[in-house]
Amino acid sequence: MSNIKKFFLIFSIYVISHSIYAQEIRTLNMNNALIEEIKNMAQQEDTDAQVKLGLFYIQGLGVPQDYILARQWFEKAAKQGNRDAEYNLGVIYENGNGIPQNYKLAAEWYQKAAEKGRSNAQYNLGNLYANGVGVAQDYKIAKQWFEKAAEQGNADGEYSLGVMYEYGDGTAQDYKIAVEWYQKAATQGNVNAQFNLGILYAKGLGVSKNYEIAKQWIEKAAEQGHENAKIIITQLAS
C-alpha cells in the first residue's frame, strides 16, 4: 500500500465550521479631489456616494479611520433602501466595529440586504441561522439562504451547502451532492471546500476513491495556508 493511501486512511480531520465573515471592502484609487467630490455627493443624498464614504472611513482611506462616521453614512444610505449599506451595517454589528457587537441587529440588516439579492448578505444570514447566533438556530432556513447565495455563484454559499449535505444538517445526508457543491466552491478557490473535497475523494464518499485527485485538492488548500492541509502534505512528503 502506498504512503499516500496509508495516510489518508487514518487521517479524518474535517473543516465543518462555517466561516466567520471578513469584511469585503473595495479599495479605490483616490486623491483629495475625488474624496471631496464623494463627500459632496454623499451630502446630497447620493446613496452610492454615502456607501463609498462609509467604506473610506472603515478603512481609513483618505480620511481618518472612524467606525462611528462609517456607520452614520451607511445608515443614511440604508434609510433609502441601499442594499450595500444594509449589508455593511450587518458587518459592523456582527464584527462589533466601533460599537458593541450585536448579532440580532446584524441579522436584521443582513435580512434587508439579503431580500434585495445581496449574495454576501444571504450567505452571512444563512451563517447566523446555521450557528444560532442572533436568531434561533434553524438549518432549513440557513440552507434556503445558502441556496440563494449559491445560485449567484457565491463560493461561501456553495461551500456551506456542501457542509450541510455532507453532515445532513437541515437536509438528508448526501455525499454526492456535497461533492458537487464543494467542487463548485473549490473551483472558485474556496480553501475549505478544496480541503473537504480532497478528503471526500480520499475516503470515496460521494465520489470514486481517488488518492491522486485528493492530494491535488489538498495541495491547493495547503497553498492557501489551510493548516490541516499543510499537515497532510508535510506528512506525505516525509
Side-chain angles (χ1 to χ4, degrees):
M1 184 181 291
S2 67
N3 288 336
I4 186 171
K5 183 180 293 188
K6 288 179 181 177
F7 192 71
F8 278 130
L9 284 173
I10 64 172
F11 202 97
S12 60
I13 294 178
Y14 286 82
V15 176
I16 63 173
S17 61
H18 301 284
S19 301
I20 299 300
Y21 172 69
Q23 290 177 358
E24 176 195 14
I25 299 174
R26 295 178 181 176
T27 302
L28 303 178
N29 293 323
M30 294 176 298
N31 53 49
N32 290 336
L34 176 59
I35 292 170
E36 288 305 313
E37 180 182 354
I38 290 174
K39 283 183 177 179
N40 289 334
M41 293 171 65
Q43 289 166 355
Q44 294 170 26
E45 304 303 322
D46 183 308
T47 61
D48 288 337
Q50 290 170 339
V51 170
K52 284 185 178 127
L53 189 55
L55 293 177
F56 292 168
Y57 279 112
I58 287 284
Q59 283 194 327
L61 295 173
V63 294
Q65 188 176 52
D66 191 322
Y67 290 114
I68 293 175
L69 283 178
R71 178 167 57 90
Q72 290 174 355
W73 283 112
F74 291 148
E75 286 173 342
K76 288 179 183 291
K79 285 179 181 177
Q80 299 185 65
N82 184 290
R83 70 177 193 172
D84 291 331
E86 293 166 344
Y87 164 71
N88 285 321
L89 282 171
V91 174
I92 283 179
Y93 279 107
E94 182 176 2
N95 290 348
N97 294 138
I99 55 173
Q101 198 171 40
N102 190 321
Y103 291 111
K104 184 175 183 294
L105 286 177
E108 291 175 4
W109 284 114
Y110 285 148
Q111 180 89 31
K112 292 177 185 290
E115 289 174 350
K116 293 184 175 75
R118 186 66 154 83
S119 69
N120 280 357
Q122 292 167 341
Y123 163 71
N124 285 3
L125 183 58
N127 197 34
L128 294 183
Y129 272 106
N131 289 291
V133 178
V135 293
Q137 188 176 49
D138 191 318
Y139 287 120
K140 289 185 178 179
I141 294 177
K143 180 172 177 286
Q144 290 170 4
W145 285 114
F146 289 149
E147 286 172 339
K148 289 181 183 295
E151 285 169 3
Q152 299 190 65
N154 183 290
D156 289 326
E158 294 167 345
Y159 160 71
S160 295
L161 283 173
V163 172
M164 300 196 92
Y165 278 104
E166 181 177 0
Y167 293 95
D169 292 334
T171 187
Q173 190 176 47
D174 191 319
Y175 291 115
K176 184 174 183 294
I177 296 178
V179 167
E180 292 172 0
W181 283 116
Y182 283 150
Q183 182 82 41
K184 291 177 184 291
T187 300
Q188 291 196 67
N190 184 288
V191 63
N192 289 335
Q194 291 171 341
F195 179 77
N196 285 14
L197 183 59
I199 294 296
L200 292 186
Y201 267 104
K203 291 182 172 291
L205 295 174
V207 68
S208 298
K209 187 178 292 186
N210 188 314
Y211 294 112
E212 290 306 317
I213 294 178
K215 183 172 181 284
Q216 290 169 13
W217 281 116
I218 290 174
E219 282 177 338
K220 288 181 183 294
E223 289 167 3
Q224 294 197 67
H226 192 288
E227 290 302 322
N228 291 334
K230 289 193 292 185
I231 291 171
I232 290 180
I233 297 305
T234 299
Q235 290 292 328
L236 291 175
S238 63

